[in-house]
Amino acid sequence: MAYSWERLDEPEKAAILGSIGSGGAVPPPRVVEISWQDRCNIDCFFCSTAEVRAGNRELTRERLERLFDEMRTLGVRGVRLVGGGEPLFRKDCAELIAALGRRGLGINDVTTNGVLLTEPVVRALYATGCDEIRVSLNAGEAESYAAMMQTAPKNFDRVVENVRRAARIKRETGARCAIKIQFLIYRDNYHQIPEMYRVFRESGADGFWFNGLYPVRPMPAMEESDIARMLDLYEEVLSMDYFDHLERFGFWEQPIAERIAAAERRVFASAPLSRRARVKLRQIRTRGRRRERENATLHEFCLVGWYSTAINANGDVVTCCILQDRKSAVLGNIGAQSLSEIWFGEAYDRFRSELREIMARRGEVGGFGRARCVESICAEKGSCPNRSFYWADDFPFRRRFDASVETMRAPDGEPFSTLAPAGPRTLPLHPAAPAPAR
């Protein structure tokens, strides 16, 4: 289930297209990403939010309960438990998950380091109807894990055992939730790729993926010999799995996507006939090759302003998870307004107008000096990993969206110059209330 997109009916998708194309009535948000506190129980050296995480911000239980009521009234379909902190690092976590379930608000996914993936939390997630639990294990053995996560090595075994228990409870209860493990690859741990695969197989999880460690912090860069050896090890794992459980290998430090694809082709060419037949059948069923070719021809722009919203631990409602640490991303605060007032308010309208102009200019935006919310990552194809993730496989919708974009005409003048004055790009973040004493 990709962020509840599959739960939308055709009139709801048509409402999104109509609002984008003609500036008509804005549909309500369908997905809400919630960071209900910004504390974390470990301290990963590569954390992208460490510098902006105050560690003392938390949405109160009372405000969250009211927020859940607002979301139910708006018709929100799914909730994502994500954010700058560890989402399970609250004593009332299981109770809050149950509160979502009582209101019929399903959980799309929870992204967790897994240290606090306890039995009560797992059972609450399954009872609520969680689609996916994503565990960031990141390493293949305890010492490397401790170095990456800056925590005790024993937490590695703790997380693996928590995943095993979650898989066991899933079998017992018949839950349909997918359990997936992420491994992060960089110079100091790429040699563990086979061990990562072994840990995955022994964990009982449903799937896994490799991601290159995005260089948000200074870290040792990989040399050509490292890249070559890493790809050899990837082929070794791929020859054993070939996407039966592996979802992807995304690498961000260097542009090696074609080399990864070439490795996959080599493994496929030398695979036993039975495996190749199974892969071919899967491609036929999903029309994989045809869709890859069509994908390259279709427009791909961000629809987040018409579909989902993100709420930070201090109550700030922000444009998206990618830009959330920019001060210009703040569109309101649920401590002062309702979610509905913010979503249908002036700041969100401005955000949508800027996204719409990016579409009208086909992503060819020379400068962002007059923009209030968007940045270059919002316009450059392939820059943002999330902007079309949830609807990427809905080709009937994508074709209609592509046709709609083709009818849009770029305004005259400099980018965003025809929009109302936006004011400075430095709206202050709302002050954080201290977290309750524990």
Side-chain angles (χ1 to χ4, degrees), residues 230-259:
M230 177 183 70
L231 291 174
D232 286 343
L233 294 172
Y234 176 56
E235 288 191 34
E236 180 181 322
V237 167
L238 201 57
S239 67
M240 294 183 284
D241 186 87
Y242 209 84
F243 299 117
D244 285 341
H245 304 94
L246 175 64
E247 292 198 353
R248 62 182 179 275
F249 182 13
F251 195 79
W252 312 107
E253 181 188 320
Q254 299 180 38
I256 62 169
E258 179 49 41
R259 294 175 69 179

Coordinates of all heavy atoms in Angstrom, one line a residue, residues 230-259:
M230 N 32.1 -3.6 -4.0 CA 30.7 -3.5 -3.6 C 29.7 -4.1 -4.6 O 28.8 -4.8 -4.2 CB 30.3 -2.0 -3.3 CG 28.8 -1.8 -2.8 SD 28.4 -0.1 -2.6 CE 28.4 0.5 -4.3
L231 N 29.9 -3.8 -5.9 CA 29.1 -4.3 -6.9 C 29.3 -5.8 -7.1 O 28.3 -6.5 -7.3 CB 29.3 -3.6 -8.2 CG 28.9 -2.1 -8.2 CD1 29.3 -1.4 -9.5 CD2 27.4 -2.0 -8.1
D232 N 30.5 -6.3 -6.8 CA 30.7 -7.8 -6.9 C 29.9 -8.4 -5.8 O 29.2 -9.5 -6.0 CB 32.2 -8.1 -6.7 CG 33.0 -7.8 -7.9 OD1 32.4 -7.6 -9.0 OD2 34.2 -7.7 -7.8
L233 N 29.9 -7.8 -4.6 CA 29.2 -8.4 -3.4 C 27.6 -8.3 -3.7 O 26.9 -9.2 -3.3 CB 29.5 -7.7 -2.1 CG 31.0 -7.9 -1.7 CD1 31.3 -7.0 -0.5 CD2 31.2 -9.4 -1.3
Y234 N 27.2 -7.2 -4.3 CA 25.8 -7.1 -4.6 C 25.4 -8.2 -5.6 O 24.3 -8.8 -5.4 CB 25.6 -5.7 -5.2 CG 24.2 -5.4 -5.7 CD1 23.1 -5.6 -4.9 CD2 23.9 -5.1 -7.0 CE1 21.8 -5.3 -5.3 CE2 22.6 -4.8 -7.5 CZ 21.6 -5.0 -6.6 OH 20.3 -4.7 -7.0
E235 N 26.2 -8.4 -6.6 CA 25.9 -9.5 -7.5 C 25.8 -10.9 -6.8 O 24.9 -11.7 -7.1 CB 26.9 -9.6 -8.6 CG 26.9 -8.5 -9.6 CD 27.7 -8.7 -10.8 OE1 27.9 -9.9 -11.2 OE2 28.3 -7.7 -11.4
E236 N 26.7 -11.1 -5.8 CA 26.6 -12.3 -5.0 C 25.3 -12.5 -4.3 O 24.7 -13.6 -4.4 CB 27.8 -12.3 -4.0 CG 27.9 -13.5 -3.1 CD 29.0 -13.4 -2.1 OE1 30.1 -12.9 -2.5 OE2 28.8 -13.9 -1.0
V237 N 24.8 -11.4 -3.7 CA 23.5 -11.5 -3.0 C 22.4 -11.6 -4.0 O 21.4 -12.4 -3.9 CB 23.3 -10.2 -2.1 CG1 21.8 -10.1 -1.7 CG2 24.2 -10.3 -0.9
L238 N 22.5 -10.8 -5.1 CA 21.5 -10.9 -6.1 C 21.3 -12.2 -6.8 O 20.2 -12.7 -7.1 CB 21.8 -9.8 -7.2 CG 20.6 -9.3 -8.1 CD1 19.5 -8.7 -7.2 CD2 21.2 -8.3 -9.1
S239 N 22.4 -12.9 -6.9 CA 22.3 -14.3 -7.5 C 21.5 -15.2 -6.6 O 21.0 -16.2 -7.1 CB 23.7 -14.8 -7.8 OG 24.4 -15.0 -6.5
M240 N 21.5 -15.0 -5.3 CA 20.8 -15.8 -4.4 C 19.3 -15.4 -4.2 O 18.4 -16.2 -3.9 CB 21.4 -15.8 -3.0 CG 22.8 -16.4 -2.9 SD 23.5 -16.4 -1.3 CE 24.0 -14.7 -1.1
D241 N 19.0 -14.1 -4.5 CA 17.7 -13.6 -4.2 C 17.0 -13.1 -5.5 O 15.8 -13.4 -5.7 CB 17.8 -12.4 -3.2 CG 16.4 -11.9 -2.8 OD1 15.8 -12.5 -1.8 OD2 15.9 -11.0 -3.4
Y242 N 17.6 -12.4 -6.3 CA 17.1 -11.7 -7.5 C 15.7 -11.2 -7.4 O 14.7 -11.6 -8.1 CB 17.2 -12.6 -8.8 CG 17.3 -11.7 -10.0 CD1 18.6 -11.2 -10.4 CD2 16.2 -11.3 -10.7 CE1 18.7 -10.4 -11.4 CE2 16.4 -10.4 -11.8 CZ 17.6 -10.0 -12.1 OH 17.8 -9.1 -13.2
F243 N 15.5 -10.3 -6.5 CA 14.3 -9.5 -6.3 C 13.1 -10.3 -5.8 O 12.0 -9.9 -5.9 CB 14.0 -8.7 -7.5 CG 15.0 -7.7 -7.9 CD1 15.7 -7.8 -9.1 CD2 15.4 -6.7 -7.0 CE1 16.7 -6.9 -9.5 CE2 16.3 -5.8 -7.4 CZ 17.0 -5.9 -8.6
D244 N 13.4 -11.5 -5.3 CA 12.3 -12.2 -4.6 C 12.0 -11.5 -3.3 O 10.8 -11.4 -2.9 CB 12.8 -13.7 -4.3 CG 12.7 -14.6 -5.5 OD1 12.1 -14.2 -6.5 OD2 13.4 -15.6 -5.5
H245 N 13.0 -11.0 -2.6 CA 12.8 -10.2 -1.4 C 13.5 -8.9 -1.4 O 13.1 -7.9 -0.8 CB 13.4 -11.0 -0.2 CG 12.9 -12.4 0.0 ND1 13.5 -13.5 -0.5 CD2 11.7 -12.8 0.6 CE1 12.8 -14.6 -0.2 NE2 11.7 -14.2 0.5
L246 N 14.5 -8.7 -2.2 CA 15.2 -7.4 -2.4 C 14.4 -6.5 -3.2 O 13.9 -6.8 -4.3 CB 16.6 -7.7 -3.1 CG 17.4 -6.4 -3.4 CD1 17.8 -5.6 -2.2 CD2 18.6 -6.8 -4.3
E247 N 14.1 -5.3 -2.7 CA 13.3 -4.3 -3.4 C 14.1 -3.4 -4.3 O 13.7 -3.1 -5.4 CB 12.5 -3.5 -2.4 CG 11.5 -4.3 -1.6 CD 10.5 -3.4 -0.9 OE1 10.6 -2.1 -1.0 OE2 9.5 -3.9 -0.4
R248 N 15.3 -3.0 -3.8 CA 16.0 -2.1 -4.7 C 17.4 -1.9 -4.0 O 17.7 -2.2 -2.9 CB 15.4 -0.7 -4.7 CG 15.2 0.0 -3.4 CD 14.5 1.3 -3.5 NE 14.3 2.0 -2.3 CZ 13.3 1.8 -1.4 NH1 12.4 0.9 -1.7 NH2 13.3 2.4 -0.3
F249 N 18.3 -1.3 -4.8 CA 19.6 -0.8 -4.3 C 19.8 0.6 -4.9 O 20.0 0.8 -6.0 CB 20.7 -1.7 -4.9 CG 22.1 -1.4 -4.4 CD1 22.3 -0.5 -3.3 CD2 23.2 -1.9 -5.0 CE1 23.5 -0.1 -2.9 CE2 24.5 -1.6 -4.5 CZ 24.7 -0.7 -3.5
G250 N 19.5 1.6 -4.0 CA 19.7 3.0 -4.3 C 21.0 3.5 -3.8 O 21.3 3.3 -2.6
F251 N 21.8 4.1 -4.6 CA 23.1 4.6 -4.1 C 23.2 6.1 -4.5 O 23.1 6.5 -5.6 CB 24.2 3.8 -4.8 CG 25.6 4.0 -4.1 CD1 25.9 3.3 -2.9 CD2 26.5 4.8 -4.6 CE1 27.1 3.4 -2.3 CE2 27.7 5.0 -4.0 CZ 28.0 4.3 -2.8
W252 N 23.6 6.9 -3.5 CA 23.5 8.4 -3.7 C 24.8 9.0 -3.7 O 25.0 10.2 -4.1 CB 22.6 9.0 -2.6 CG 21.3 8.3 -2.3 CD1 21.0 7.5 -1.3 CD2 20.2 8.2 -3.2 NE1 19.7 6.9 -1.5 CE2 19.2 7.4 -2.6 CE3 19.9 8.8 -4.5 CZ2 18.0 7.1 -3.2 CZ3 18.7 8.6 -5.0 CH2 17.8 7.8 -4.4
E253 N 25.9 8.4 -3.1 CA 27.2 9.1 -3.0 C 27.8 9.4 -4.3 O 28.4 10.4 -4.5 CB 28.1 8.2 -2.2 CG 29.5 8.8 -2.0 CD 30.5 7.8 -1.3 OE1 30.1 7.1 -0.4 OE2 31.6 7.8 -1.7
Q254 N 27.6 8.5 -5.3 CA 28.2 8.6 -6.6 C 27.1 8.1 -7.7 O 26.3 7.3 -7.3 CB 29.5 7.8 -6.8 CG 30.6 8.3 -5.8 CD 31.8 7.4 -6.0 OE1 32.2 7.1 -7.2 NE2 32.5 7.1 -5.0
P255 N 27.2 8.7 -8.9 CA 26.2 8.3 -9.9 C 26.5 6.9 -10.5 O 27.2 6.9 -11.6 CB 26.3 9.4 -10.9 CG 27.7 9.9 -10.8 CD 28.0 9.8 -9.4
I256 N 26.1 5.8 -9.9 CA 26.4 4.5 -10.4 C 25.2 3.7 -10.8 O 25.2 2.5 -10.8 CB 27.3 3.7 -9.4 CG1 26.5 3.5 -8.1 CG2 28.6 4.4 -9.2 CD1 27.2 2.5 -7.2
A257 N 24.1 4.4 -11.0 CA 22.8 3.7 -11.3 C 22.9 2.7 -12.5 O 22.4 1.6 -12.4 CB 21.7 4.7 -11.5
E258 N 23.6 3.1 -13.5 CA 23.8 2.3 -14.7 C 24.7 1.1 -14.4 O 24.4 0.0 -14.9 CB 24.4 3.0 -15.9 CG 24.6 2.2 -17.1 CD 23.3 1.4 -17.5 OE1 22.2 1.9 -17.4 OE2 23.5 0.2 -17.9
R259 N 25.6 1.2 -13.5 CA 26.5 0.1 -13.2 C 25.7 -0.9 -12.3 O 25.9 -2.1 -12.4 CB 27.7 0.6 -12.4 CG 28.7 1.4 -13.3 CD 29.8 2.0 -12.5 NE 30.8 1.0 -12.1 CZ 31.9 1.3 -11.4 NH1 32.2 2.6 -11.1 NH2 32.7 0.3 -11.0

